[in-house]
Amino acid sequence: MENVRFDTKIAVLLRDDLPVWQRLNVTSFLVSGLGTMLPEVIGEPYEDADGTAYLPMFRQPVLVFEAGKETLQSAHSKALARGLHTAVFTSDLFATGHDAANRAAVRAVGTDSLDLVGLAVYGPRNVVDKVSKGARMHP
C-alpha cells in the first residue's frame, strides 16, 4: 500500500486549557458535523474477514491541534473569511443538555463574541495550514 497525499485537510483546533475529557468530547462533536454535511470526507464501509459490516469512517486523517483562546479566535476568523467548512463548539455548550439547546446557545451570540473552545475545519490543505498557523499538534 502506498501513502496517499490528500489535497484536502481535516483539522480540529482545541483550546489548550480544557480538561482531557472535554477535549475528547469536543473533538467528537466537531468532526460529526463534517461527516454529516460533507459526504466526500467519508470512505467506504468496512468489513472484516468474517463478513461483519462496520460503519464507514473518514477517508483521510484528522489532525488535532491545541492553541490558546486568541489563536482559536484568529483561526475561526480566517476560516470564515476563506470560506472553509467550519464547525464550532463554544463554552456555553458544556451547560446544555441536547442538540436544540446547543444550537440556541450558539445562535444567541454574535460571530465575533463566540467563546470558542473548539473548531473543526475542512478544505484545501494549504488553506487549512494557514488557518491553523500558531496552533501546535495535540500531544
Side-chain angles (χ1 to χ4, degrees), residues 126-137:
N126 62 338
V127 178
V128 172
D129 286 343
K130 289 176 185 171
V131 165
S132 58
K133 187 174 181 164
R136 57 198 170 279
M137 287 295 291

Side-chain angles (χ1 to χ4, degrees), residues 24-79:
L24 295 170
N25 185 265
V26 169
T27 300
S28 298
F29 273 99
L30 288 170
V31 297
S32 71
L34 296 176
T36 58
M37 296 303 292
L38 303 165
E40 69 269 18
V41 302
I42 303 297
E44 296 296 321
Y46 287 74
E47 183 177 299
D48 65 25
D50 296 323
T52 304
Y54 302 97
L55 294 172
M57 296 186 281
F58 289 122
R59 66 181 180 89
Q60 67 188 90
V62 176
L63 301 174
V64 181
F65 299 89
E66 65 177 4
K69 184 176 185 173
E70 296 77 22
T71 300
L72 206 60
Q73 289 171 326
S74 174
H76 178 244
S77 295
K78 291 175 190 175

